[in-house]
């Protein structure tokens, strides 16, 4: 008799989690990304680590700007 048990899904890497969250038209702050990682994936990722992973993304896909109405709050997204 064959064993039809499937392997559990491999957990996403921090970079994969980040890409899933910030790909699209919405801009996200690091705090918002951090909260979404916890909500969506049950994983706590520090803002510092998320910022480092953003810098690992392809340069031509990265978008970064200062959030309107603030002086120092950056927001991020990846173009699809």
């Amino acid at each position: 008799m064959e064993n039809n048990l499937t392997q559990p899904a491999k957990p996403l890497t921090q970079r994969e989690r980040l890409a899933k969250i910030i790909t699209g038209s919405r801009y996200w702050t690091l705090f918002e990304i951090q909260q979404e990682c916890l909500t969506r994936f049950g994983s706590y990722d520090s803002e510092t680590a998320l910022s480092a992973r953003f810098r690992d993304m392809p340069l031509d896909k990265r978008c970064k700007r200062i959030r309107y109405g603030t002086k120092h709050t950056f927001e991020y997204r990846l173009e699809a």
Side-chain angles (χ1 to χ4, degrees):
M1 181 174 219
E2 278 186 44
N3 185 352
N4 288 332
L5 296 176
T6 59
Q7 294 290 331
K10 183 178 175 185
L12 296 176
T13 65
Q14 192 174 59
R15 184 177 176 179
E16 290 168 335
R17 289 190 299 273
L18 176 64
K20 284 190 175 289
I21 292 169
I22 67 171
T23 298
S25 60
R26 177 181 170 186
Y27 280 87
W28 300 75
T29 66
L30 290 172
F31 178 77
E32 291 168 343
I33 298 165
Q34 182 184 55
Q35 295 304 303
E36 189 68 14
C37 280
L38 193 55
T39 301
R40 198 185 297 188
F41 304 111
S43 179
Y44 177 83
D45 297 306
S46 72
E47 292 181 29
T48 304
L50 291 167
S51 177
R53 296 299 73 74
F54 181 76
R55 292 189 303 272
D56 291 341
M57 299 293 178
L59 188 58
D60 62 332
K61 301 288 185 194
R62 296 187 310 202
C63 299
K64 177 181 171 183
R65 68 182 187 189
I66 294 178
R67 179 162 279 187
Y68 179 76
T70 70
K71 292 184 180 180
H72 303 291
T73 303
F74 284 96
E75 51 186 11
Y76 309 83
R77 75 178 178 97
L78 290 177
E79 293 181 345

